[in-house]
Amino acid sequence: MNFLELLKDSMPSLLDGLLVTVKISVVSLIFAVIIGLVFGIFTISKSKILKAIASVYIFIIRGTPLIVQALFLYFGVGQLLGIRFDPELAGIIVLSLNAGAYMAEIFRGGIMAVDPGQMEAARSLGFNYFKSMRKIILPQAIKVMIPSIINQFIVTIKDTSILTVISIRELTQSGQIIIAQNFKPFQMYAIIAVMYFILITALTIVSKYIERKLSYGNRS
């Protein structure tokens, strides 16, 4: 089997794996944004308890490898609770929690970048803390955070390849299954690398475009 034949025969399976990769990444990032928003606000809260909760969560997640987190949840927690996780569900949970810790720092940085006077002005108008955040602070902070959020999405896509350890049939796992059938690891991993490269390059271009648009908008 030459390279073109290998490419033709393997592409349907690889595209299915790529679809799983993108689906898990998108769903995980949505949950990660929610988690990051909550814990990002916790980190700047005046409550010592909320700050401590956020600090412990971020410290643990950022201080342990993603592969260990995946194995701990899928095998460790699964055995402890006597349940068998669906691999894709476990992958989404792990990626959401992992990316959420980094998103929390992105949100913290974005919120801190907004002039503190904005919050004071909102409070003077009678807005409570959460309404001030929702109406005044976050809309401004989001502009600062969008490039970082897209960058985290790129990182999350790369991280899905680690989920092969819990048998998720994403792009890398699909390639490994094909390799087990045709024993052509060099060609197959080259194809997989190119597919990741195309996807991530496209997202990087989008990120750079958005960053330029936001910078132009800020100057005007």
Side-chain angles (χ1 to χ4, degrees):
M1 180 184 293
N2 60 38
F3 181 80
L4 291 178
E5 291 174 339
L6 175 63
L7 182 63
K8 179 181 177 181
D9 291 345
S10 61
M11 193 52 62
S13 179
L14 292 177
L15 288 176
D16 287 341
L18 181 62
L19 182 62
V20 172
T21 292
V22 173
K23 180 180 73 173
I24 291 176
S25 300
V26 170
V27 174
S28 298
L29 188 68
I30 291 171
F31 285 115
V33 167
I34 297 170
I35 294 169
L37 174 60
V38 172
F39 282 94
I41 292 175
F42 281 6
T43 60
I44 60 173
S45 171
K46 294 180 179 179
S47 168
K48 291 183 179 180
I49 295 175
L50 294 181
K51 276 188 174 181
I53 291 172
S55 296
V56 170
Y57 162 66
I58 293 171
F59 182 77
I60 291 174
I61 294 297
R62 296 183 67 174
T64 55
L66 177 60
I67 189 171
V68 174
Q69 296 167 15
L71 293 171
F72 176 77
L73 175 69
Y74 188 68
F75 295 107
V77 175
Q79 183 186 49
L80 181 66
L81 299 179
I83 59 176
R84 181 175 178 81
F85 282 105
D86 174 78
E88 287 192 20
L89 175 60
I92 289 171
I93 293 172
V94 169
L95 286 179
S96 298
L97 291 173
N98 184 273
Y102 293 91
M103 290 297 302
E105 288 296 289
I106 291 172
F107 272 98
R108 183 189 63 80
I111 291 171
M112 296 295 287
V114 177
D115 188 340
Q118 297 288 321
M119 175 62 79
E120 295 171 6
R123 298 303 294 271
S124 68
L125 292 174
F127 289 5
N128 60 32
Y129 180 81
F130 291 103
K131 191 172 183 180
S132 299
M133 274 289 178
R134 182 167 58 89
K135 294 282 189 178
I136 307 297
I137 305 301
L138 286 177
Q140 298 179 67
I142 288 293
K143 292 182 179 180
V144 178
M145 294 185 293
I146 284 178
S148 297
I149 291 173
I150 295 176
N151 184 65
Q152 183 58 48
F153 183 44
I154 292 171
V155 172
T156 300
I157 288 177
K158 293 178 182 179
D159 285 345
T160 57
S161 62
I162 296 174
L163 300 179
T164 56
V165 298
I166 57 174
S167 304
I168 294 180
R169 192 165 179 173
E170 40 68 66
L171 179 56
T172 302
Q173 177 79 340
S174 297
Q176 290 176 339
I177 292 171
I178 295 171
I179 290 169
Q181 297 168 348
N182 59 34
F183 303 104
K184 293 184 179 293
F186 177 82
Q187 295 91 327
M188 185 51 55
Y189 282 127
I191 294 171
I192 293 170
V194 169
M195 292 178 72
Y196 274 118
F197 178 78
I198 292 172
L199 177 60
I200 290 168
T201 299
L203 287 171
T204 302
I205 292 171
V206 170
S207 176
K208 294 295 184 183
Y209 172 77
I210 293 174
E211 194 170 350
R212 286 197 302 270
K213 293 290 286 186
L214 291 175
S215 298
Y216 178 78
N218 290 335
R219 286 197 300 271
S220 60

